[in-house]
Amino acid sequence: MKRVMKRGIVLLCVLTAFSSFAADATLEERLTALEEKFAKEASAREEILLNRISELEKQVQTLSEQVATVKPAEASGADSESLSTRVSAVEQEVAEMKDTNEKEFKLLEPLKGITIGGYGELHYNELEGSGGAKDKSEVDLHRFVVTVGKEFNEQTRFFSEMEIEHATTEDNKDGDDGYVVVEQAYVDFDLNEEHTARGGVFLVPVGLLNENHEPGRFYGVERNGVENQIIPTTWGEAGAGLHGLLSDTWRYDAYLHTGFDLTSTNYTIRNARQKGGYADSSDPAATAALNWSIPGVTIGGSSQYQQDMSSGDNKDNISAILGELHTDLAWRKWGFRALYAQWELDGNGPEQQGSDRQLGWYLEPSYKFTDKVGVFARYSEWNNLAGDRSKDAGKEQVSAGVNYYPHPQMVLKADYQWQFNEDNKDQDGVNLGMGYEF
Amino acid sequence: MSSKPIIFWIVGLLLAGVARAETESDKFVRSVFGTVPEKQTLRLESETQAKIASMLGKRYSKKEVTYWEQNGRRIWVVDAQGKVSSIQTGFVVEQGQIAKSEVLVCKEDHGRQVRSARFLKQFTGLVINEKGQLNRRIDGLSGATISVYAVTGSAKLALYFDSLVAAQTSMDSASNNLASSSSP
């Protein structure tokens, strides 16, 4: 029995071993099959990849050849055709947009050529009077100005300046009043490139400030005494004339216009200014000016003849003549302005008062540290009764101060003034101001 | 009256009209280049506009500017507002420097003297720095402050526009070089 069991076990073992051998053989077969399959797939993929790579290489080569040979503006083949269709589509769109723009623009044509500008000055004076002169402590919106211009065509332009002085036209507590005035309203017509005819109310071409009186263009809070009392800046008259260039450097102005009209027997020049409204035109005046300018240097002068300064009903015929010389220099950071003006009045009235001669002059050196900050000093003398030296009417003033430009079109000013008047009625003190122009 | 003189008049007027059709800027370009090359356009993006505003202290109303180019020289025609009218100035820019300038249109009263050769001579050789400042101070003309300011601002713009085109051109040529160097 034991033997039978032994044999059985052996047989079983043999059978098991055989069966396992048999199983091993099928595994190997499967592995080989798999290996073969993988190898085939790999070579197929490799072939595909290699093909793709060589295709890409070819493409890259053609592209680089194109880039190297084709100029930007040129194009060829199917791509360029589609490009050119796209470009022409864009062009068409742009043209359509331009058309629409032009149509819209035509609607706005009434506004074409119109310029609007303006300037203004706010002053604060803190002056101490001595020798009988009053103290002055006031804030004043001295000038508020709006300018309107219109370019009618290439040859014809209109320009106007309307001003409110001292903020209101109502009397203040001291009885001083402000006023509204049309300082300028004229038409310029170009005769050719060099010469222009002008008609209307315009500023007479006398002195440095009258035609360039915007606050950013001069030093000192208040305009200097000479170009206030001897040349009555801002000084506009109604008339007509010519201005233009004689060469690159010479400019001329020549006008016939309304003259002074004295309504009282105060013959001081500022009192006689008419400003073009209901102006008496029976006795016209004429002004001529000549200026030589190169960058940094202007030297010039002007002369005016008044046929009769007295009003129509005044029997005393008062003719007058003004002579004026000026210079405006800039060298590096330095600046220098100087002006001399003198009136000679004919007639008994002025002679008796001593106002038959009225004159003034000033010297004004300045220095600009930067475009934003400049300082100045000014010495000025003027006398509206210079015909009679015994009247002690001479005025003498020294000023020094600073202009600060936070923006090129805006200015803050501060100065100190000392007066040494012959009658000892002096006002000394501080002036502060701000101004703008656009 | 026979119709012949009328026809002559009409033809004459038409010819005069054609002659007048050439703008001041075309005349300037012709006087410098001897011919009028095709106009090119530089668009002013908002970034550029912001830079201009900081340079001039005010906004510039145009969305694009035109220029003419020949042999590395570019001509810029820039408009600026004067006191009563617009002032148009032409600048020839060569290698970032102003080589020539001419005021093409100026109807200003006192500003008209900005047309003088002596004034414009100051602009020759001017360059601009990164902040948009000119390398030299321009001497003004008494009584012509606004016009001087306008022409000086235009010079800054011309140089700035030119620097934009120059930068664009050098970028284009760099990328072209790159492309051609990569080809086998």
Side-chain angles (χ1 to χ4, degrees):
Chain A
M1 182 69 194
K2 268 189 179 177
R3 185 174 278 184
V4 172
M5 273 182 73
K6 261 187 186 173
R7 280 183 187 168
I9 290 165
V10 169
L11 189 66
L12 193 67
C13 286
V14 168
L15 274 173
T16 317
F18 183 75
S19 70
S20 70
F21 176 71
D24 279 350
T26 38
L27 258 178
E28 200 169 303
E29 273 172 23
R30 281 168 67 193
L31 270 173
T32 331
L34 272 174
E35 272 173 7
E36 276 172 12
K37 200 181 168 190
F38 276 135
K40 266 185 195 168
E41 275 184 17
S43 73
R45 273 188 197 165
E46 201 178 346
E47 203 181 319
I48 292 170
L49 278 174
L50 281 172
N51 280 344
R52 182 92 183 112
I53 286 172
S54 66
E55 204 177 299
L56 282 172
E57 273 178 351
K58 272 181 201 165
Q59 275 184 13
V60 167
Q61 196 174 342
T62 3
L63 276 174
S64 9
E65 276 168 15
Q66 275 180 3
V67 168
T69 51
V70 172
K71 285 176 190 168
E74 293 173 5
S76 62
D79 279 353
S80 73
E81 267 173 37
S82 76
L83 259 181
S84 70
T85 16
R86 278 167 65 190
V87 165
S88 56
V90 169
E91 275 175 353
Q92 205 178 330
E93 246 173 72
V94 168
E96 278 167 17
M97 275 165 72
K98 264 191 181 167
D99 275 357
T100 340
N101 264 351
E102 273 166 19
K103 275 175 201 157
E104 280 173 11
F105 225 79
K106 277 196 177 144
L107 293 175
L108 296 173
E109 221 144 56
L111 291 176
K112 206 182 150 198
I114 284 189
T115 48
I116 292 178
Y119 72 89
E121 291 178 87
L122 183 68
H123 295 168
Y124 168 65
N125 313 105
E126 186 60 58
L127 305 174
E128 194 183 327
S130 62
K134 279 185 190 168
D135 287 353
K136 188 177 183 185
S137 177
E138 70 177 27
V139 174
D140 182 20
L141 181 64
H142 199 142
R143 298 182 178 87
F144 174 82
V145 179
V146 178
T147 62
V148 178
K150 164 85 178 168
E151 203 168 359
F152 295 114
N153 60 27
E154 281 183 17
Q155 282 80 38
T156 323
R157 291 169 302 283
F158 166 79
F159 185 74
S160 69
E161 178 177 330
M162 198 168 91
E163 175 163 346
I164 299 172
E165 290 221 19
H166 310 293
T168 170
T169 56
E170 284 174 22
D171 286 3
N172 70 9
K173 58 184 186 331
D174 295 332
D176 296 333
D177 56 353
Y179 50 88
V180 177
V181 62
V182 177
E183 297 271 8
Q184 307 183 61
Y186 64 80
V187 172
D188 263 359
F189 179 78
D190 293 340
L191 303 173
N192 55 30
E193 282 271 292
E194 281 75 34
H195 307 285
T196 303
R198 172 173 295 182
V201 176
F202 51 84
L203 300 174
V204 294
V206 174
L208 289 167
L209 290 193
N210 197 44
E211 289 178 291
N212 282 288
H213 51 264
E214 290 82 355
R217 317 233 196 138
F218 62 90
Y219 282 107
V221 175
E222 302 289 347
R223 295 169 184 173
N224 68 76
V226 182
E227 290 189 84
N228 189 339
Q229 296 300 324
I230 306 298
I231 300 169
T233 304
T234 315
W235 180 13
E237 298 283 1
L242 289 174
H243 65 89
L245 298 176
L246 297 170
S247 73
D248 260 8
T249 48
W250 286 99
R251 178 199 160 95
Y252 74 93
D253 293 83
Y255 302 108
L256 267 177
H257 53 79
T258 49
F260 286 150
D261 192 22
L262 288 162
T263 48
S264 69
T265 50
N266 175 351
Y267 299 106
T268 55
I269 294 300
R270 203 171 175 85
N271 186 45
R273 185 174 61 165
Q274 281 209 91
K275 290 204 162 188
Y278 292 123
D280 185 347
S281 59
S282 58
D283 299 301
T287 304
L290 202 56
N291 280 281
W292 183 79
S293 290
I294 59 168
V297 182
T298 290
I299 298 168
S302 63
S303 184
Q304 184 175 97
Y305 176 72
Q306 297 269 346
Q307 191 172 293
D308 186 3
M309 281 171 65
S310 60
S311 58
D313 50 355
N314 190 331
K315 294 274 169 7
D316 194 7
N317 185 323
I318 304 166
S319 68
I321 190 158
L322 163 76
E324 176 264 333
L325 289 170
H326 57 249
T327 187
D328 186 0
L329 310 173
W331 182 71
R332 296 188 178 169
K333 294 183 170 183
W334 294 93
F336 180 73
R337 281 183 170 191
L339 180 142
Y340 181 91
Q342 181 170 336
W343 283 98
E344 294 290 331
L345 278 64
D346 241 5
N348 291 328
E351 199 179 338
Q352 279 160 19
Q353 277 187 10
S355 51
D356 53 331
R357 172 170 293 172
Q358 304 184 37
L359 61 87
W361 58 276
Y362 68 82
L363 303 172
E364 185 192 278
S366 59
Y367 185 82
K368 266 198 155 183
F369 292 101
T370 66
D371 282 344
K372 289 189 167 183
V373 185
V375 291
F376 81 103
R378 185 194 309 125
Y379 176 82
S380 49
E381 274 189 27
W382 68 97
N383 190 342
N384 289 95
L385 300 172
D388 186 352
R389 298 301 298 175
S390 67
K391 290 262 166 106
D392 288 339
K395 311 279 183 199
E396 191 181 330
Q397 183 169 322
V398 175
S399 303
V402 59
N403 275 18
Y404 169 64
Y405 298 85
H407 181 273
Q409 287 162 290
M410 211 198 135
V411 63
L412 299 174
K413 299 180 178 183
D415 66 62
Y416 198 93
Q417 70 175 57
W418 296 266
Q419 290 189 336
F420 307 94
N421 297 333
E422 283 178 0
D423 58 6
N424 293 321
K425 290 181 181 173
D426 301 331
Q427 284 183 320
D428 298 346
V430 176
N431 301 296
L432 300 176
M434 66 82 74
Y436 62 87
E437 179 186 357
F438 61 92
Chain B
M1 195 181 180
S2 84
S3 64
K4 258 189 185 172
I6 294 175
I7 290 166
F8 277 126
W9 270 108
I10 290 171
V11 170
L13 283 172
L14 280 175
L15 285 176
V18 169
R20 273 187 72 89
E22 184 163 57
T23 59
E24 293 299 326
S25 44
D26 282 351
K27 272 188 222 163
F28 179 61
V29 173
R30 190 181 298 283
S31 77
V32 176
F33 287 164
T35 166
V36 184
E38 201 175 329
K39 235 187 236 181
Q40 305 196 49
T41 308
L42 171 70
R43 279 191 62 76
L44 307 176
E45 309 297 343
S46 56
E47 200 182 318
T48 314
Q49 292 279 12
K51 172 92 176 172
I52 293 171
S54 79
M55 273 163 57
L56 299 185
K58 61 180 176 190
R59 283 194 354 205
Y60 188 64
S61 57
K62 300 214 164 153
K63 292 265 183 282
E64 56 181 39
V65 283
T66 50
Y67 65 96
W68 295 261
E69 186 168 1
Q70 190 189 60
N71 304 328
R73 287 194 300 170
R74 281 181 282 268
I75 290 181
W76 297 90
V77 171
V78 187
D79 290 306
Q81 184 57 45
K83 187 167 179 175
V84 293
S85 62
S86 104
I87 300 174
Q88 190 178 66
T89 318
F91 298 94
V92 184
V93 182
E94 193 171 358
Q95 293 177 334
Q97 281 191 12
I98 291 179
K100 180 185 164 77
S101 47
E102 192 172 312
V103 174
L104 309 178
V105 180
C106 177
K107 305 286 183 185
E108 294 293 291
D109 178 354
H110 281 265
R112 215 177 283 191
Q113 273 166 306
V114 294
R115 292 193 308 200
S116 80
R118 209 187 286 247
F119 172 73
L120 292 169
K121 207 169 68 180
Q122 299 183 89
F123 289 85
T124 307
L126 276 188
V127 295
I128 198 172
N129 68 12
E130 281 181 3
K131 285 182 183 167
Q133 293 160 331
L134 298 171
N135 61 327
R136 268 205 314 266
R137 193 187 157 80
I138 298 297
D139 281 331
L141 289 160
S142 181
T145 319
I146 293 182
S147 306
V148 170
Y149 196 67
V151 176
T152 311
S154 298
K156 283 183 189 174
L157 286 186
L159 287 168
Y160 175 56
F161 294 154
D162 198 76
S163 74
L164 293 178
V165 173
Q168 187 58 46
T169 315
S170 67
M171 258 173 68
D172 288 350
S173 70
S175 61
N176 273 350
N177 287 341
L178 217 65
S180 54
S181 65
S182 70
S183 72

